[in-house]
Amino acid sequence: MVSYADVRKWKPEELESAHSDLGNRRNDLVGLQDELDGAKKTDGWSGAAADASAAEHAKLVDGMRSLIAEVATVRVAVATAADDVAKIKKRIEEADREAEANGFQITDEGGIRDVAPPQDVPEDQLEEVKQKRLQVRDKLMADIEKILDDAEQADAELAKALTAAQQDEIKPGEGGTLADAASTDDLQALAASAGKPADDSPEANAEWWKSLSDEQRAALMEAPPAWLGSRDGIPAAARDMANRANIDNVRGDLVAERDRLQEGGVSEDEQKKLDEINAKIASVDQVRETIGNEEPPRQLLVLDPSGERLKAAVAVGDVDNADHVSVFTPGFTTTVDGSLANYDDKMRELVAESSDQLAASGKGGEVAAVTWIGYEAPQTSETGDLFGDSVASSSSAKEGGAKLNDFYQGINASRDNDPNLTAIGHSYGSTTTGYALQGGDHGVDNAILYGSPGVGTSDIKDLNVPEGRAYLLEAKNDPVADLGRFGTDPTHMDGFTDLSTAKSDQGAEVTGHSDYLNPDTTSQHNIAAVVAGVPENAVEGSTDGVGDKISYGTHKTREGVEAVQEWGSERWSDAKELGSDAWSGVKDAGSKVKDFFS
């Protein structure tokens, strides 16, 4: 029997810590899949020893699968208990406050003690005050009884899961991998009972998730359907779990498709498809390697094998709880297999620099940064496709921008409190970012664009970013930043705050198109300052390239022509007015002469 004193001592944070530890243990066990596969008896080995080895291997696999199923089941129970205990503790605090406000005290036994009855109550109000206090006491008694009932239920459910695990009563999920073992029948049934969102908008996804019971959410974390990982508006932790659980399936499907194509020879048309599949397999392998980094932990927020190239997004840090979140979108020639590792490293360095600036400013808070390769950026091989996927076309940027807008929305929609959200775009990725921001309702607080060939508009108001919170960086000898290919060259758009890329007390200079995020540079310092919510730390300043000087000269020439045209127009107007007056005078004089001779 759970007592009120026991419940008062419960600590939901300890259950949350246990839930996290169990998740790490489950991941460690699932991560042994390759070693288990490698430990199978080799082809050509036969005999008694081979049979004994195979039997031991099968026994080991069965034991591991059972252990993973038990860990998954207990983890769901712990997650549910942690949520239940947190709610119960909050109700206890509310009951204690109400009791104290009315002169009562709730004892460790769950009783009500009258410790501060009202004094000097007028005679004619005594009965009214008495009845009111009796009502408060009765309500407190009912609240305490309900709290103890719910606490007893939470304790019993957790004990039930622990007992089932201890007595080996939990049957592993179907499937041949260790990851499949975590999806037990009970967890799958509970996850299936959650249904699906009404549609695939960030708002609908977020509302659906928040409407679920604690048990359903916990089950979906352990036995997630594949579609859960791609839904903007779902918490990052849940998306990460779903996408990690789906990696083996995605890779397996790609390998099966590759093997099918290779059967009986490959035609010229099939070779292109085969090359795409091999690149996707390499991309999946790169994703797996990247999310294996744990300092800080990574979150896999997008894993999309559709289309010509695999799309992915990986976060450094905890997007669900970070106070400051940035989303970086790279540009031309970006691929998951060729670019993710480098950009993930840059985001790790950016998080570290942003955190250092927060600490130096005397401000607390956590930082997370996402590398978003959720669109198919133009490639060198597509340069000739001027009206399609070429870097000279806005087609890919517009398509990617729509997805990126949903991604921004999803971060805010999935959380109870909005983070300081920063959109970062480089090169063609800044164009994609520009189109995403023009989509509106994105919840982005700051936009940082660098090496930008344009943002798809000539008016900064179209980006829907708070005034003064759009920042631009251009390095010396960066030709792309002067193209102005997509809308006006941002350098000449009113409303951007120019941040320096030159040498300063805060870091070294960067030159060219690709080094803005290099550590120990002024540009990285400035980007980190905005991400960390301390833009006052940034060093302002602009760099004019050759294109800017030409553009400036053209701009001044245009101003001169417009001024001459305006002057000429004014003089012509004056001349017309003067001529009109003169002609009127001549007519008047002629009329007088005519009258005289008449």
Side-chain angles (χ1 to χ4, degrees), residues 3 23 63 76 96 119 126 129 148 224 226 232 240-241 246 251 259 279 331 349 370 424 433 453 468 474 490 522 532:
S3 72
V76 168
D96 283 338
Q119 303 294 321
L126 280 174
V129 170
L148 289 173
D232 295 312
D240 177 53
M241 290 288 294
N246 198 33
R251 194 181 193 283
D259 294 345
E349 293 168 347
V370 181
I424 306 175
T433 300
E474 177 178 341
T522 300

Side-chain angles (χ1 to χ4, degrees), residues 49-70:
D51 293 342
S53 175
E56 283 299 315
H57 184 273
K59 182 178 178 182
L60 177 61
V61 170
D62 288 343
M64 296 257 316
R65 285 174 55 80
S66 293
L67 182 57
I68 289 171
E70 290 164 1

Side-chain angles (χ1 to χ4, degrees), residues 89-140:
K89 291 285 287 187
K90 184 176 180 180
R91 288 160 59 191
I92 287 176
E93 292 170 1
E94 291 172 350
D96 283 338
R97 283 196 298 270
E98 185 173 4
E100 183 179 0
N102 288 276
F104 296 114
Q105 182 184 68
I106 302 175
T107 68
D108 285 344
E109 294 75 28
I112 305 293
R113 181 181 295 133
D114 192 348
V115 293
Q119 303 294 321
D120 302 324
V121 179
E123 186 74 22
D124 59 346
Q125 298 179 20
L126 280 174
E127 187 60 27
E128 180 182 352
V129 170
K130 178 182 177 182
Q131 291 303 319
K132 183 178 180 180
R133 296 190 79 236
L134 285 173
Q135 291 175 2
V136 171
R137 187 195 66 181
D138 291 344
K139 179 180 179 300
L140 286 172

Side-chain angles (χ1 to χ4, degrees), residues 192-393:
S193 71
K196 293 181 72 172
D199 58 64
D200 193 15
S201 67
E203 182 180 6
N205 291 329
E207 289 179 354
W208 169 78
W209 181 264
K210 293 172 183 178
S211 73
L212 301 178
S213 68
D214 296 336
E215 292 85 354
Q216 287 172 318
R217 283 194 291 266
L220 282 165
M221 293 283 282
E222 293 303 320
W227 55 261
L228 190 67
S230 64
R231 295 291 181 117
D232 295 312
I234 300 299
R239 296 181 69 167
D240 177 53
M241 290 288 294
N243 287 324
R244 285 177 187 261
N246 198 33
I247 284 181
D248 287 338
N249 293 330
V250 169
R251 194 181 193 283
D253 290 344
L254 290 169
V255 169
E257 189 175 1
R258 180 192 65 188
D259 294 345
R260 180 185 60 77
L261 278 174
Q262 289 178 328
E263 290 178 359
V266 179
S267 67
E268 186 176 338
D269 290 339
E270 289 174 331
Q271 185 60 52
K272 180 182 177 182
K273 182 65 175 176
L274 184 60
D275 291 342
E276 289 179 2
I277 292 172
N278 284 328
K280 287 182 179 180
I281 293 173
S283 293
V284 172
D285 292 341
Q286 183 57 69
V287 167
R288 193 197 302 272
E289 180 179 341
T290 301
I291 63 175
N293 297 320
E294 296 182 351
E295 295 296 333
R298 292 343 191 237
Q299 291 177 319
L300 180 54
L301 306 182
V302 173
L303 182 69
D304 178 8
S306 67
E308 294 182 12
R309 292 185 293 280
L310 184 121
K311 277 79 68 181
V314 175
V316 177
D318 184 355
V319 172
D320 289 329
N321 296 297
D323 303 280
H324 308 275
V325 177
S326 64
V327 179
F328 167 63
T329 304
F332 182 46
T333 72
T334 296
T335 61
V336 173
D337 54 322
S339 312
L340 179 59
N342 175 56
Y343 286 131
D344 178 76
D345 199 45
K346 295 298 184 187
M347 291 303 101
R348 177 188 58 78
E349 293 168 347
L350 182 64
V351 166
E353 173 64 20
S354 299
S355 300
D356 287 346
Q357 290 197 39
L358 271 174
S361 300
K363 298 180 179 180
E366 299 296 323
V367 183
V370 181
T371 299
W372 188 84
I373 311 179
Y375 78 122
E376 295 184 17
Q379 302 296 305
T380 305
S381 60
E382 299 167 332
T383 302
D385 188 8
L386 297 180
F387 301 102
D389 296 333
S390 166
V391 71
S393 167

Side-chain angles (χ1 to χ4, degrees), residues 423-437:
I424 306 175
H426 172 228
S427 191
Y428 192 86
S430 73
T431 307
T432 304
T433 300
Y435 283 114
L437 295 175

Side-chain angles (χ1 to χ4, degrees), residues 18-98:
H19 175 262
S20 178
D21 288 343
L22 285 168
N24 292 334
R25 299 297 176 268
R26 189 273 318 280
N27 291 340
D28 289 342
L29 290 168
V30 171
L32 294 173
Q33 182 71 60
D34 290 341
E35 292 184 36
L36 275 178
D37 291 342
K40 290 181 180 178
K41 72 172 185 176
T42 58
D43 293 338
W45 184 27
S46 61
D51 293 342
S53 175
E56 283 299 315
H57 184 273
K59 182 178 178 182
L60 177 61
V61 170
D62 288 343
M64 296 257 316
R65 285 174 55 80
S66 293
L67 182 57
I68 289 171
E70 290 164 1
V71 170
T73 300
V74 171
R75 189 167 185 257
V76 168
V78 169
T80 302
D83 289 335
D84 289 343
V85 170
K87 293 173 183 176
I88 289 170
K89 291 285 287 187
K90 184 176 180 180
R91 288 160 59 191
I92 287 176
E93 292 170 1
E94 291 172 350
D96 283 338
R97 283 196 298 270
E98 185 173 4

